[in-house]
Amino acid sequence: MPRLALRFSTQTLLLQLGVVLLVVLLSGSVHAWLVYGRIGTEAENQALTLARTVASDPALRSQVEAISKEPGTPPATVLAAGPIQAAAEAARSRTGALFVVVTDETGLRLAHPDRVRLGERVSTDPSDALSGKEVTTRNTGTLGPSAGAKVPVFAPGSAATGSAATGSAATVVGEVSVGYSMESLGQSLAEDIVPIALTAAGSLVAGVLASFLLRRRLQRLTLGLEPEEISTLVHDQVAVLQGVDDGVIGISADGRITVFNAAARRLLGMPEGSGTPGSPATAGSARSGTDLAGTDMAGTDWERAAVPAKLKALTQPSAHDAEAVEIVAGGRVLVANARKALHRKEDLGWVVMLRDRTELQQLTRQLDAVGTMSAALRAQRHEFANQLHTIAGFMSIGQHGQAKDYLARISATGPLKFPVQQAELLQDPYLQAFVGAKSVEADERGVALRIGPETLVREHVTEPQDVTTVLGNLIDNAVNAAVAGSSTQRWVELELLDEPGPDGGTLHIVVADSGDGLGGVEPERVFVEGFTTAEPAEGGIARAGGQGLGLALVLQLARRRGGDVRVLDPGSTGGPGAVFMATMPGVTGTPDNAVRAVPPAAERKEGHQ
């Protein structure tokens, strides 16, 4: 992917700085313009007030009227020394105005700061004031630009609306023009511009600082990635999470679930939409446009999530990174491990991986059975060779009757003789082979495996893997208990009974042993994941199988099929031991519908019987 000239975060920073600078300049300019307008308006109002004051002076009014009645205008030297000039200059000096100009009724100057210009016509139009109106102006005259006002001068005894005493009409005999220099307004603005500039500079600094902080947060949230890289990463993540068979769970550094793919949900046996009640996810958390598989769990607190406690223990601070554990969930045996996720030394949280080992364990159990039967076949082959030598010996010495009787006894027992008592009660060839293989293993450990007298299986096994898992675990636990028991007679008794049904028959399995029982342990506890009898645990609890997964897996598997596993009798010290019963619906059927998964040796045995 081609790299941009500027990173996205840098472009964002520059854009923000440009916007902040533009806003500050605009706001500062508008503020300065408003202040300048306000100062000009104040100057106009001040000029109007001064002009009114000067124009209302009775002495000035009399003097202007007197000059207006005379033909012509007095010379400039006379005006310069006259009282009108003196009064105007006094008012100008007192108020700091740029000029105070008095004219006659024709607009000729009677008072002016520049005495040379006395007697001349004013440079700005005096018609509004000479018509009796008061006006404010911003003009450029002989003294420069100014903001001022023009006020008419009325004859004594008259006013703008007429004299109240005499009722005479208002008579305009001249006008007074007052102005304040625009340069002085600029100086006033310069005094006010300092706080404006400081405010603008402060706003600019605050905007720049906020832009830098936003840039840093953006980089931290995106891990320094560009938008194109983030888009590609999201698409790759979705493809990977939906394409792998392993379960993937992502936990953020603050303990929230961020990723929970469909494989993890399937392996844990969780239905769709099974977020923790009250969590942000189930309360209507926001969903992104891209489904990351399991977004209904996104945002859920990891400690409150409906997942096995062993998974949560993997992400504890004391847990070792990549340490794998086996758990039972959803009727499956899973291998789980967790790794710490880091990016440039930044803690991103944990990634939990789930792998399914159920099929591997079932295959291993079947291979163990085949291996056991293979060893039995080798032993029986040697025994069969000896029997053939015996028959050959009888024939060679002419003892044909004894040879015939010997063959009859061999035919009655079959060429494969497993050390299982009452094996003839089992009619299903798969059960014959599997139980026979287990009897060989039990016999090697000094335990007699026998079939109970109530055994009756009329149909054939249609789900050999599930039956192997349940039956094998129960027999193994019983053999272990018999070996560890204090009784001198070590035995395991197995009873099987099938119950036909429209959707497949139900197989009832009862396993008893000669061990010392559960030893006071609550029957429900033996089905808890992690409970074993291989070694004494705290409180004298015995543990079975060495891994603590067998009975938990058996219980989940049976219940998933609609059945159950329970303890019929907890047993007692010295024997007999505990009695377990498993009910498995839908695992048997008629021979035509049966899924035959019989090891080759068992098929050979069935052919000989």
Side-chain angles (χ1 to χ4, degrees):
M1 183 175 62
R3 301 290 294 180
L4 298 176
L6 292 176
R7 297 182 64 84
F8 174 73
S9 57
T10 304
Q11 293 179 4
T12 304
L13 174 63
L14 294 178
L15 178 61
Q16 291 171 342
L17 292 178
V19 171
V20 170
L21 180 61
L22 179 61
V23 170
V24 170
L25 289 178
L26 286 177
S27 59
S29 300
V30 171
H31 192 186
W33 179 76
L34 292 176
V35 170
Y36 183 77
R38 177 180 56 80
I39 294 176
T41 301
E42 291 177 354
E44 292 174 353
N45 294 333
Q46 186 175 357
L48 180 60
T49 301
L50 179 59
R52 287 174 177 172
T53 302
V54 174
S56 63
D57 184 9
L60 185 139
R61 293 170 66 183
S62 298
Q63 294 166 2
V64 172
E65 181 186 27
I67 294 175
S68 298
K69 289 180 179 181
E70 295 177 359
T73 303
T77 55
V78 175
L79 293 175
I84 298 177
Q85 175 72 6
E89 284 300 299
R92 184 180 68 85
S93 301
R94 185 174 63 252
T95 59
L98 176 64
F99 60 84
V100 175
V101 177
V102 181
T103 70
D104 59 10
E105 79 283 1
T106 63
L108 299 179
R109 298 187 182 100
L110 303 180
H112 193 276
D114 187 0
R115 297 183 179 185
V116 178
R117 298 187 180 279
L118 292 173
E120 298 179 357
R121 185 174 179 82
V122 293
S123 58
T124 58
D125 184 16
S127 58
D128 288 336
L130 293 178
S131 64
K133 300 178 182 178
E134 295 181 349
V135 294
T136 57
T137 63
R138 292 189 187 183
N139 295 317
T140 301
T142 57
L143 298 178
S146 63
K150 295 180 183 292
V151 174
V153 177
F154 296 99
S158 66
T161 59
S163 174
T166 63
S168 59
T171 302
V172 178
V173 295
E175 58 105 7
V176 176
S177 178
V178 177
Y180 286 90
S181 174
M182 298 295 290
E183 295 179 358
S184 63
L185 298 182
Q187 294 176 356
S188 299
L189 177 62
E191 295 176 358
D192 291 345
I193 205 67
V194 175
I196 297 177
L198 291 178
T199 302
S203 301
L204 183 61
V205 171
V208 171
L209 180 60
S211 299
F212 273 101
L213 293 177
L214 183 60
R215 177 175 181 264
R216 289 189 59 186
R217 176 165 177 79
L218 182 63
Q219 286 182 325
R220 184 166 62 253
L221 291 177
T222 61
L223 304 179
L225 298 177
E226 298 297 309
E228 296 83 358
E229 295 173 332
I230 295 175
S231 177
T232 302
L233 183 63
V234 170
H235 284 86
D236 293 344
Q237 181 182 2
V238 173
V240 170
L241 291 179
Q242 293 181 351
V244 298
D245 292 330
D246 294 344
V248 180
I249 304 175
I251 301 100
S252 63
D254 61 354
R256 297 283 178 179
I257 296 177
T258 56
V259 175
F260 204 99
N261 70 344
R265 184 183 308 283
R266 173 177 53 83
L267 294 177
L268 293 175
M270 301 174 63
E272 290 295 332
S274 57
T276 302
S279 67
T282 55
S285 60
R287 294 172 180 261
S288 61
T290 304
D291 185 8
L292 294 182
T295 50
D296 57 342
M297 291 289 290
T300 303
D301 185 72
W302 174 240
E303 294 299 327
R304 298 177 56 200
V307 298
K310 277 192 174 182
L311 281 185
K312 300 176 183 179
L314 291 176
T315 60
Q316 297 299 321
S318 59
H320 297 289
D321 192 16
E323 180 182 1
V325 298
E326 285 189 348
I327 64 173
V328 177
R332 300 174 183 271
V333 177
L334 307 178
V335 176
N337 69 298
R339 291 184 181 274
K340 198 71 175 175
L342 300 173
H343 179 77
R344 299 176 183 175
K345 297 183 179 181
E346 181 180 358
D347 184 6
L348 302 182
W350 291 87
V351 177
V352 179
M353 301 293 296
L354 302 174
R355 298 176 180 86
D356 191 359
R357 285 193 57 185
T358 306
E359 296 181 357
L360 179 61
Q361 283 205 349
Q362 293 174 344
L363 181 60
T364 301
R365 186 173 294 279
Q366 291 183 358
L367 290 177
D368 289 342
V370 172
T372 302
M373 294 190 64
S374 298
L377 283 173
R378 288 194 297 269
Q380 292 294 337
R381 177 178 176 274
H382 181 71
E383 181 182 355
F384 186 65
N386 292 336
Q387 292 172 348
L388 287 178
H389 286 301
T390 302
I391 295 173
F394 280 132
M395 297 295 293
S396 64
I397 62 176
Q399 298 294 330
H400 301 287
Q402 293 185 11
K404 184 177 180 181
D405 294 339
Y406 186 64
L407 284 172
R409 289 196 300 271
I410 292 176
S411 298
T413 58
L416 295 178
K417 185 178 180 181
F418 289 116
V420 56
Q421 301 176 21
Q422 303 186 101
E424 65 276 3
L425 296 177
L426 290 176
Q427 300 300 316
D428 180 75
Y430 178 80
L431 293 177
Q432 291 176 355
F434 185 74
V435 174
K438 284 298 179 184
S439 69
V440 173
E441 293 180 354
D443 185 66
E444 292 176 351
R445 302 182 64 183
V447 178
L449 178 61
R450 64 193 185 206
I451 306 299
E454 302 297 329
T455 296
L456 178 60
V457 180
R458 293 156 291 183
E459 297 184 333
H460 292 275
V461 173
T462 60
E463 300 291 340
Q465 290 187 350
D466 290 351
V467 173
T468 296
T469 301
V470 174
L471 184 58
N473 273 291
L474 292 178
I475 293 178
D476 288 343
N477 288 347
V479 171
N480 290 333
V483 171
S486 57
S487 175
T488 56
Q489 295 183 350
R490 298 176 178 178
W491 52 265
V492 172
E493 184 171 292
L494 171 66
E495 287 189 349
L496 300 167
L497 179 64
D498 68 334
E499 178 183 354
D503 297 326
T506 300
L507 183 64
H508 301 277
I509 304 172
V510 178
V511 179
D513 59 70
S514 60
D516 292 333
L518 301 183
V521 178
E522 293 294 331
E524 292 78 9
R525 289 196 58 191
V526 299
F527 297 103
V528 176
E529 180 183 345
F531 181 89
T532 62
T533 59
E535 299 174 356
E538 296 182 3
I541 299 177
R543 303 190 314 170
Q547 295 183 357
L549 299 175
L551 288 178
L553 177 61
V554 165
L555 180 63
Q556 289 199 20
L557 184 59
R559 288 182 175 176
R560 188 175 64 182
R561 302 193 64 90
D564 198 7
V565 180
R566 61 183 183 274
V567 178
L568 294 182
D569 189 342
S572 58
T573 303
V579 180
F580 287 83
M581 178 178 179
T583 303
M584 299 188 66
V587 296
T588 61
T590 60
D592 293 337
N593 298 328
V595 178
R596 307 300 292 277
V598 184
E603 294 285 2
R604 290 174 55 189
K605 176 182 176 183
E606 182 184 13
H608 283 282
Q609 287 183 337

